[in-house]
Amino acid sequence: MISNLKIKAKLIFLVAFVVISFAGLVVTNKLVMNNIKIGSQTYQNIVNAKDLLADILPPPAYIIEARLITFELIQSANQSNKTELINKLAQLKKDINDRKKYWDENLNNDKLMSLLTPSYETGIAYFKVIDDKFIPLIKQNNLEAATQLANSELATLYSAHRENIDKLVSSSIEEFNVTEQIAQDDLSVGNIIINTGSILSIGFILFISYLIAHNIVNSIETFENGLGSFFKFLNRETKIAQPIKLDTKDEMGEMAQFVNENIIKIEEMTIKDNQLIDEAKIVMSRVTHGWYSQTIQQSTTNRSLEEFKNNVNTMIISTKERFAVVDELLKTYANNDYTKTMMLSPTDEKGGLIESLANGINGLQAAITKMLVENKQNGLTLDSSSDVLLENVNTLNQNANQAAAALEETAAALEEITENISSNTTNIVKMAQLASTVTVASSEGKDLAFETTNAMDQINKEVNAISDAISVIDQIAFQTNILSLNAAVEAATAGEAGKGFAVVAQEVRNLANRSADAANEIKKLVENATQKANNGKNIADKMISGYETLNQNIDHTITLIKDVEMSSKEQLLGINQINDAIAALDQQTQKNA
């Protein structure tokens, strides 16, 4: 019965059934919820009370941390560290006071407050002892008294605080557990009823949904398989298209019937298309290998393929005709007829391959035609030039005979010129050698003049030394004369006893006078020698200057002689080359004659 319904009707039925089922389930749940509402509210209150208790309990960690800090203060020797620990104790006291303030603002339960108060009071008392007694002892550095206080009064308050916390927790947990158990029992019964009804309703809904979905899915899968088979046929994976086997009265059945009708039509058209494509492949393969004698003959109802076939056939026929025209034109060129050219049709593509081929063939025809015309003109020119050449050869023959005679005379004259230039070159070389010898002699004279000048300078130095010695002798004579005068005076003073000494003094004075006279004569001779030496030096300087001028002139003359020598050698080489060329030309002229 479900198979004959439309898909729309199936979905409406499914939705209506689900709505009705859920409506019944809601009514049932509402009745059950009224019974467990009180138990649920009680349970929720217990849960909230537990959460609140966990939030408001004074953590024992406050007092534990404070007790650890007291012992750290006793053991610490660093003043800055003590200050930090005291500040931590003050912060812990503030935290527990903030927690008490939170109880007063948020906890509206006298029973809980009665349980919380003892733990708060012991905690505040613990911090009061620390502030009033312990911290002053630490600041006074009375560690022994602070240790006793920590082990006595503070230890007692710490134990009392832990006992109050344990009592608060245990009594609260016992009370909450009893109430929680009752609420959980009520909730369990309600949950069982609701879960059972929900499971049954959902199971029935799933069963109906499965039947409807299974029917729809089966139709879709059958339709999908049929379409897959048809697409495999279209993709040429199979050769036969299978129809969709679906006999339902719903939309899927109507679609399957419509698709089956079109599958039959498309199958027939596809077979024809495939036949045309197969034939087109064969024809295109032959065209690729240069065979243009076959066209596509198969036909199909597919307009695109039919148009493709006609275009391909037209292309093959047109290409074949073009190749035939080119072949005919090339045959005429092979027969030496270059008067025809390849013409383009109005439909040919501008700048395409056909136009490029036509331009190439026409360019070949024009190039061959131009080459033939040039060959003809060259032949005519060659015929005319051969006559002129014959006349010129006769004239050349006569001129060659005359040139041969003239060359013989020229060769003889050149031989005489060559001998003269060679002799001149030899003489110039000898002149260059003589000039070099004169240069050497001049250089030696210049060196001797330099040596004479040096000797004169040395004589001047020696004469100066002699002049100095004469001056010394003159001074000695003068002093001797003075001494002799003094000796004569002393001898005259001595009387008879000094006569012999007076004679000696007279002789000494005479010797001194002769020495002075000789020194004057030597001085005059030295001055004359010095003057002569200076004159000789001046003459030697003039000789050196003359030799230098002579050397410069000789160098200039040698340079000129070398230039003439090089020019003569180059002329000799040139004349020899000319002589060789004339000789060769004479031989060639003789042969030409």
Side-chain angles (χ1 to χ4, degrees):
M1 183 182 73
I2 295 177
S3 300
N4 294 326
L5 293 176
K6 301 289 185 181
I7 294 177
K8 183 178 179 181
K10 294 176 183 178
L11 295 176
I12 292 172
F13 174 75
L14 177 61
V15 172
F17 179 76
V18 172
V19 170
I20 292 171
S21 299
F22 273 108
L25 183 61
V26 168
V27 172
T28 303
N29 289 341
K30 187 174 182 180
L31 295 175
V32 175
M33 288 298 294
N34 289 330
N35 294 327
I36 64 173
K37 184 175 182 180
I38 297 174
S40 178
Q41 184 65 39
T42 302
Y43 178 76
Q44 187 63 38
N45 291 336
I46 293 170
V47 172
N48 292 336
K50 279 189 174 182
D51 294 338
L52 182 62
L53 180 62
D55 192 36
I56 64 177
L57 279 176
Y62 289 167
I63 306 301
I64 295 172
E65 186 175 359
R67 184 157 180 79
L68 292 175
I69 291 173
T70 57
F71 287 108
E72 287 183 14
L73 282 170
I74 293 170
Q75 296 175 0
S76 176
N78 190 348
Q79 187 62 34
S80 60
N81 191 22
K82 288 182 178 180
T83 302
E84 183 180 356
L85 295 173
I86 291 171
N87 292 334
K88 286 184 178 181
L89 289 174
Q91 182 63 40
L92 291 173
K93 181 180 179 181
K94 181 178 181 300
D95 291 341
I96 198 170
N97 285 326
D98 291 341
R99 181 55 61 94
K100 180 61 169 62
K101 183 179 179 182
Y102 178 78
W103 298 343
D104 295 338
E105 293 175 355
N106 297 280
L107 189 60
N108 298 318
N109 191 322
D110 295 337
K111 186 174 182 180
L112 284 176
M113 284 298 295
S114 64
L115 294 172
L116 288 169
T117 299
S119 63
Y120 170 73
E121 290 177 350
T122 53
I124 293 300
Y126 188 87
F127 281 105
K128 182 174 177 58
V129 173
I130 288 176
D131 290 340
D132 296 343
K133 299 179 180 180
F134 183 76
I135 292 177
L137 293 174
I138 292 297
K139 290 181 178 181
Q140 296 170 7
N141 205 19
N142 191 351
L143 301 181
E144 183 177 357
T147 303
Q148 291 178 357
L149 181 64
N151 291 328
S152 58
E153 187 173 356
L154 287 177
T156 302
L157 290 173
Y158 173 75
S159 299
H161 179 75
R162 292 297 301 271
E163 290 177 359
N164 291 329
I165 291 293
D166 292 340
K167 290 179 181 179
L168 171 63
V169 173
S170 60
S171 60
S172 299
I173 291 174
E174 289 176 359
E175 183 176 355
F176 288 147
N177 287 337
V178 173
T179 308
E180 182 181 6
Q181 187 63 42
I182 296 172
Q184 285 181 351
D185 292 341
D186 293 338
L187 290 173
S188 297
V189 174
N191 288 331
I192 292 171
I193 295 173
I194 292 173
N195 292 335
T196 303
S198 298
I199 291 171
L200 292 176
S201 299
I202 292 172
F204 191 64
I205 291 170
L206 292 176
F207 176 72
I208 298 299
S209 300
Y210 170 75
L211 291 179
I212 296 174
H214 180 69
N215 181 263
I216 295 172
V217 169
N218 282 339
S219 299
I220 293 174
E221 288 180 351
T222 303
F223 188 79
E224 180 184 7
N225 293 331
L227 283 179
S229 175
F230 175 62
F231 286 133
K232 287 181 179 180
F233 171 73
L234 291 179
N235 294 327
R236 306 186 73 175
E237 296 178 5
T238 59
K239 296 182 179 180
I240 300 174
Q242 298 292 337
I244 300 174
K245 298 178 182 180
L246 189 63
D247 298 330
T248 59
K249 304 297 182 181
D250 55 4
E251 290 86 350
M252 298 302 295
E254 294 175 357
M255 289 172 61
Q257 184 178 358
F258 176 75
V259 170
N260 287 335
E261 293 174 358
N262 284 277
I263 285 175
I264 295 172
K265 295 178 181 179
I266 293 172
E267 182 179 10
E268 294 175 355
M269 184 175 64
T270 302
I271 291 172
K272 292 182 179 180
D273 291 346
N274 292 335
Q275 292 175 351
L276 188 146
I277 291 170
D278 292 337
E279 185 180 6
K281 289 180 179 179
I282 296 171
V283 172
M284 295 302 292
S285 176
R286 291 183 175 181
V287 170
T288 302
H289 294 88
W291 190 2
Y292 290 88
S293 61
Q294 183 178 354
T295 58
I296 303 172
Q297 301 298 324
Q298 289 288 342
S299 297
T300 179
T301 56
N302 190 328
R303 292 182 181 179
S304 298
L305 285 177
E306 189 68 19
E307 184 179 357
F308 169 75
K309 180 196 78 171
N310 295 331
N311 290 335
V312 170
N313 289 337
T314 302
M315 179 188 69
I316 293 172
I317 294 170
S318 176
T319 304
K320 181 179 179 181
E321 292 175 353
R322 289 300 179 87
F323 284 162
V325 171
V326 173
D327 182 62
E328 187 66 25
L329 186 62
L330 292 176
K331 286 180 180 179
T332 60
Y333 289 171
N335 294 324
N336 296 323
D337 182 7
Y338 296 97
T339 59
K340 297 180 180 180
T341 58
M342 183 176 177
M343 304 299 294
L344 295 173
S345 64
T347 58
D348 287 335
E349 179 185 4
K350 299 298 180 182
L353 183 61
I354 297 299
E355 183 179 359
S356 177
L357 178 62
N359 292 334
I361 293 175
N362 293 334
L364 176 64
Q365 180 265 347
I368 294 174
T369 302
K370 182 179 179 182
M371 181 181 67
L372 292 175
V373 172
E374 290 178 353
N375 288 338
K376 182 179 180 181
Q377 291 177 352
N378 292 332
L380 294 175
T381 303
L382 183 61
D383 182 43
S384 175
S385 299
S386 61
D387 296 334
V388 176
L389 179 62
L390 180 60
E391 295 177 359
N392 291 332
V393 167
N394 292 327
T395 303
L396 179 63
N397 189 16
Q398 295 174 1
N399 294 332
N401 291 326
Q402 295 175 0
L407 282 172
E408 287 179 357
E409 295 175 359
T410 304
L414 281 174
E415 287 180 358
E416 293 178 0
I417 294 172
T418 302
E419 291 178 358
N420 292 330
I421 291 175
S422 177
S423 178
N424 291 335
T425 301
T426 303
N427 293 330
I428 289 170
V429 170
K430 292 180 180 179
M431 289 173 63
Q433 292 175 353
L434 293 173
S436 299
T437 304
V438 173
T439 301
V440 172
S442 176
S443 297
E444 290 177 354
K446 183 179 178 181
D447 292 338
L448 292 174
F450 273 115
E451 290 178 359
T452 302
T453 301
N454 292 331
M456 292 297 180
D457 289 335
Q458 190 66 31
I459 291 170
N460 281 332
K461 291 180 181 179
E462 297 295 334
V463 168
N464 290 330
I466 294 170
S467 296
D468 294 337
I470 291 170
S471 297
V472 174
I473 293 170
D474 195 13
Q475 291 175 2
I476 292 171
F478 179 73
Q479 292 294 330
T480 304
N481 195 11
I482 293 173
L483 291 173
S484 67
L485 289 176
N486 290 332
V489 173
E490 290 296 331
T493 304
E496 190 67 26
K499 286 181 179 182
F501 188 73
V503 174
V504 174
Q506 182 63 36
E507 290 299 327
V508 171
R509 185 167 59 250
N510 292 333
L511 179 60
N513 290 328
R514 287 197 300 271
S515 297
D517 294 336
N520 288 327
E521 291 177 1
I522 294 171
K523 185 175 182 182
K524 290 178 181 180
L525 293 174
V526 169
E527 288 176 354
N528 291 329
T530 301
Q531 185 177 3
K532 297 296 183 181
N534 290 330
N535 291 332
K537 182 179 179 182
N538 292 329
I539 294 170
D541 290 337
K542 291 179 180 179
M543 288 174 64
I544 291 171
S545 177
Y547 278 123
E548 289 178 350
T549 303
L550 178 62
N551 283 336
Q552 291 177 357
N553 293 329
I554 292 172
D555 291 338
H556 184 63
T557 303
I558 291 173
T559 302
L560 294 176
I561 291 171
K562 287 183 178 179
D563 292 339
V564 173
E565 180 184 0
M566 293 298 293
S567 299
S568 298
K569 288 181 179 179
E570 291 177 357
Q571 289 176 1
L572 180 61
L573 291 174
I575 291 297
N576 288 330
Q577 291 177 356
I578 293 171
N579 197 8
D580 294 338
I582 292 296
L585 183 60
D586 184 27
Q587 293 177 0
Q588 293 175 359
T589 303
Q590 294 295 336
K591 290 180 181 179
N592 291 334

